[in-house]
Amino acid sequence: MSSFYGVELKSRLLLGTSRYPSPAVLERAVKASGAEVVTVSLRRESGAGRAGQAFWSLIQSMGVRVLPNTAGCHSVKEAVTTAHMARELFDTPWIKLEVIGEADTLQPDVFGLVEAARILSEEGFEVFPYTTEDLVVAERLVEAGCRVLMPWGAPIGSARGLNNVYGLRSMRAHFPDIPLVVDAGLGVPSHAAAAMELGYDAVLLNTAVAEAGDPVEMARAFALGVEAGRAAYLARPMEPRDMAVPSTPVIGKAALGD
């Protein structure tokens, strides 16, 4: 089980809820994934005529925990304001904090992220910061009150997998007691398995499932990938070697004459 701010979860897969072909496909994909937490953007609940009400009703019917996010926010003020609105609407102290700093890669503005995380933590929010694998930034986020860190695997929606395995492994070693979630950039279940093999506590993804040819089957495949990666980590994999080692014992091998 994984634990986030004292909440115990059986599933180590967190799933986003945008870009699905239809609400029905979204519902089936969430069920197939086994996810107990889904991320929801406040923008899905905005607009004239309570356009998001049907969507919110769907999410409520799934029986999952909601992790609202500040997706699309480019400043501290915008992110903090969005977080306040999300807490009021979704009635949860949880917030996935995004402060975007670069338009093409959607890389976090780490300076604004730390500032927003400090403000929200002081106001009672339980912050899940979307960050990079930079250890200095991670230290500042923990000092700001974050009890979970969510480094990216690759740019959001890129499906490139783990761009910096060294950095992610270093973060795991540096923060052995902080729940770590790889967030963004995963494309196939093997990417999720690789993250879990590094000892990460969970993965969060959206586009890889929502834009798959069959989102429901892809959700199921990611659930299996996460499970396999976690099992492999717990099994303590052998270390890579530079030279071959025969798997068949050579002791007792028959000696043949010329």
Side-chain angles (χ1 to χ4, degrees):
M1 297 181 71
S2 57
S3 178
F4 302 110
Y5 291 102
V7 176
E8 299 287 340
L9 301 172
K10 295 180 181 179
S11 173
R12 295 177 182 272
L13 176 59
L14 288 67
L15 205 59
T17 56
S18 66
R19 308 181 71 90
Y20 286 83
S22 70
V25 171
L26 165 61
E27 183 176 19
R28 291 169 54 212
V30 171
K31 183 176 181 180
S33 73
E36 297 170 85
V37 176
V38 298
T39 62
V40 177
S41 170
L42 187 65
R43 286 166 173 77
R44 297 297 296 273
E45 288 297 306
S46 62
R50 299 173 63 85
Q53 190 61 43
F55 173 77
W56 177 224
S57 296
L58 172 64
I59 297 299
Q60 289 178 306
S61 72
M62 293 181 190
V64 293
R65 179 175 287 268
V66 174
L67 174 59
N69 66 37
T70 63
C73 292
H74 292 261
S75 70
V76 172
K77 182 178 180 180
E78 186 181 12
V80 169
T81 300
T82 301
H84 278 279
M85 295 171 65
R87 181 165 64 179
E88 181 176 346
L89 180 63
F90 298 113
D91 191 28
T92 176
W94 281 16
I95 190 73
K96 180 191 173 189
L97 181 61
E98 297 183 26
V99 182
I100 301 302
E102 208 284 318
D104 290 330
T105 63
L106 300 180
Q107 180 170 330
D109 171 0
V110 295
F111 305 101
L113 181 68
V114 171
E115 182 180 351
R118 180 171 289 108
I119 292 170
L120 293 173
S121 294
E122 290 174 353
E123 294 179 346
F125 284 87
E126 295 174 342
V127 181
F128 293 68
Y130 164 61
T131 184
T132 67
E133 67 277 17
D134 187 290
L135 295 181
V136 177
V137 174
E139 287 279 13
R140 298 296 180 269
L141 288 168
V142 172
E143 291 170 3
C146 297
R147 296 295 173 261
V148 176
L149 297 172
M150 302 180 72
W152 64 348
I156 294 172
S158 68
R160 297 184 61 86
L162 307 183
N163 275 356
N164 185 359
V165 173
Y166 169 79
L168 292 171
R169 182 182 288 114
S170 297
M171 181 175 278
R172 178 71 285 176
H174 195 74
F175 297 100
D177 300 320
I178 297 287
L180 300 181
V181 182
V182 169
D183 175 19
L186 305 185
V188 290
S190 59
H191 295 161
M196 300 304 294
E197 287 169 8
L198 293 176
Y200 275 68
D201 296 278
V203 299
L204 192 161
L205 54 101
N206 186 166
T207 312
V209 169
E211 296 191 357
D214 187 335
V216 177
E217 282 304 306
M218 187 60 78
R220 184 175 292 110
F222 265 102
L224 293 172
V226 168
E227 183 179 348
R230 180 64 179 176
Y233 171 73
L234 294 176
R236 300 190 300 277
M238 62 177 285
E239 293 294 327
R241 298 165 174 159
D242 292 328
M243 303 297 290
V245 175
S247 56
T248 301
V250 295
I251 297 177
K253 180 180 178 180
L256 303 178
D258 293 334

